[in-house]
Amino acid sequence: MSTVPRLTALDAVHRALGATMTDFAGWDMPLRYGSERDEHIAVRTKAGLFDLSHMGEITVTGPQAADFLNFSLVGNIGSVGVGRARYTMICAEDGGILDDLIVYRLGETEYMVVANASNAQVVLDALTARADGFDARVRDDRDAYALLAVQGPESPGILKSLTDADLDGLKYYAGLPGTVAGVPALIARTGYTGEDGFELFVAPGDAEKLWGALMEAGEPVGLVPAGLSCRDTLRLEAGMPLYGHELTAELTPFDAGLGRVVKFEKTSQADTFVGRAALAAAAERAETAPPRKLVGLIAEGRRIPRAGFSVVADGKVVGEVTSGAPSPTLGKPIAIAYVDAAHAAPGTEGVGVDIRGTHEPYEVVALPFYKRQK
């Protein structure tokens, strides 16, 4: 297996901008272009432009595409209207989360499944294996798309200056085909920052042209290129889970506090889907003996918690940090952690994080840390 990182269609652009590059899920990706704090604040107050071409696109087509996806995923995909999207998950037979996904319904019998870069092959293999018996085709389209995201309060205005697509009518978690700066694109009102914004799926050969047009249109309102580092602090403030941190194959959606994405009642196949029995048992366990809960932690001091650090109370370990970083918006270190139910209520006192032997005090809060003003 090759250990040479894959390059996105925008690789030359990132290097020309002086980006600090990093290996992420086998891709050479921009971590930051300058100050990750400045990039973060720009997305919160103005706009940021991201290259997300490492994400994995898988197209599912055929007369039974909806039935197949209902069987393969935990959500009710058959009820997604054309032009809409849904957040969902793919689970193993034992209920463990293989990945969290966004599924776009592009047409009557055509869907696009977008997987995390680190799990794209796992998702592709699982879907391919589950397709037996369905009149549906699974196609690896990872090389067919580049993905750009413009996120932040100024993003609608920036995009409107480059397209005649009906952005005002485009709801959150919806997508429509259109042309942006002369480039054919699937324009989706989705994102991973907690801000309003758009994700633009385009042919790789069009990526540089579109990036340049967006940067030029956004310059007067403060658009900046933004890397993976601020993407992580933005999603952390917004309380959005990251696979490998808040979500793993050892956890079910119910363990992760995301049982709402599991739909036991579906529109096809007699409500049968992979992992159903295990997930029904997990739902019952969550009712009778609540698992650890996912909570937010805000530092009283300056020391930064990291994934894997223990959450402590009364001298005992009561949880574990899954993600932690300085919060540019709050001006304090924050963390997401799984914590025993007895210590998970917002305002619970006496909770700390063990940072190299010192129990640093933290405030327990409900997620998200940040919610944009509508």
Side-chain angles (χ1 to χ4, degrees), residues 133-158:
F134 290 94
D135 189 359
R137 289 168 295 287
V138 177
R139 187 174 73 231
D140 180 1
D141 270 350
R142 285 176 287 179
D143 292 335
Y145 292 102
L147 176 57
L148 283 66
V150 56
Q151 299 277 300
E154 297 286 354
S155 58
I158 293 168

Side-chain angles (χ1 to χ4, degrees), residues 38-47 152-154 195 221-222 370:
D38 289 349
E39 291 169 26
H40 178 113
I41 291 169
V43 175
R44 285 275 177 260
T45 60
K46 297 168 184 171
E154 297 286 354
E195 297 298 335
V221 293
Y370 166 86

Side-chain angles (χ1 to χ4, degrees), residues 12-211:
V13 172
H14 303 318
R15 294 179 192 281
L17 288 168
T20 299
M21 305 296 286
T22 188
D23 181 2
F24 184 82
W27 290 82
D28 213 15
M29 297 296 294
L31 191 62
R32 69 182 73 82
Y33 298 87
S35 159
E36 56 205 45
R37 182 178 180 277
D38 289 349
E39 291 169 26
H40 178 113
I41 291 169
V43 175
R44 285 275 177 260
T45 60
K46 297 168 184 171
L49 181 60
F50 297 84
D51 177 10
L52 306 180
S53 302
H54 60 315
M55 300 295 280
E57 296 88 5
I58 301 162
T59 303
V60 177
T61 57
Q64 289 188 300
D67 291 348
F68 163 64
L69 289 170
N70 267 358
F71 170 74
S72 299
L73 311 179
V74 302
N76 186 352
I77 306 305
S79 66
V80 178
V82 174
R84 299 308 304 265
R86 182 155 296 164
Y87 176 79
T88 187
M89 295 181 185
I90 182 168
C91 289
E93 196 66 67
D94 67 1
I97 303 167
L98 297 179
D99 200 14
D100 61 335
L101 312 164
I102 295 181
V103 179
Y104 297 88
R105 188 171 188 179
L106 304 181
E108 206 57 47
T109 59
E110 183 180 5
Y111 297 79
M112 182 169 67
V113 177
V114 181
N116 286 297
S118 55
N119 295 329
Q121 191 64 48
V122 170
V123 174
L124 178 66
D125 291 346
L127 288 175
T128 302
R130 295 174 187 185
D132 284 352
F134 290 94
D135 189 359
R137 289 168 295 287
V138 177
R139 187 174 73 231
D140 180 1
D141 270 350
R142 285 176 287 179
D143 292 335
Y145 292 102
L147 176 57
L148 283 66
V150 56
Q151 299 277 300
E154 297 286 354
S155 58
I158 293 168
L159 207 55
K160 277 180 187 175
S161 72
L162 296 172
T163 183
D164 57 6
D166 179 17
L167 299 186
D168 290 334
L170 187 63
K171 296 185 172 72
Y172 187 50
Y173 266 71
L176 82 169
T179 302
V180 183
V183 170
L186 172 66
I187 306 167
R189 202 161 203 156
T190 46
Y192 194 51
T193 63
E195 297 298 335
D196 191 11
F198 303 87
E199 295 183 318
L200 307 170
F201 296 85
V202 300
D206 290 331
E208 279 200 32
K209 178 184 176 183
L210 181 57
W211 178 281

